[in-house]
Amino acid sequence: DKVCLIHSVDSYRLAEEINIQAKKKNITVPILVEVNIAEESSKFGIHAEDAIALVEQIAQLENVRRSEERRVG
């Protein structure tokens, strides 16, 4: 029930589901957006060129707060 931070959010769908669950509990959940800057297929994360659009979409969600971005690569 108690979440301090969710790592590795790499899609709007995932952020939206986190938002839905957080809203049910009346909390705001901090998240890290995972960006695959090396674009390695063996690593997860959104491609760098799509990161800004994803962050802008996530910013519209009421119960999710972007803390930082998490870069892998």
Side-chain angles (χ1 to χ4, degrees), residues 46-55:
I46 190 166
H47 292 277
E49 64 269 10
D50 299 325
I52 292 174
L54 176 60
V55 168

Side-chain angles (χ1 to χ4, degrees), residues 1-6 15-32 58-67:
D1 258 356
K2 297 179 182 177
V3 175
C4 294
L5 177 69
I6 295 181
E16 192 172 38
E17 183 60 31
I18 294 167
N19 185 66
I20 289 167
Q21 298 306 317
K23 188 175 269 191
K24 288 178 185 178
K25 297 179 186 297
N26 196 32
I27 60 173
T28 299
V29 177
I31 64 168
L32 297 176
I58 290 172
Q60 303 304 310
L61 299 173
E62 295 176 14
N63 292 80
V64 173
R65 184 185 82 234
R66 184 184 67 84
S67 289

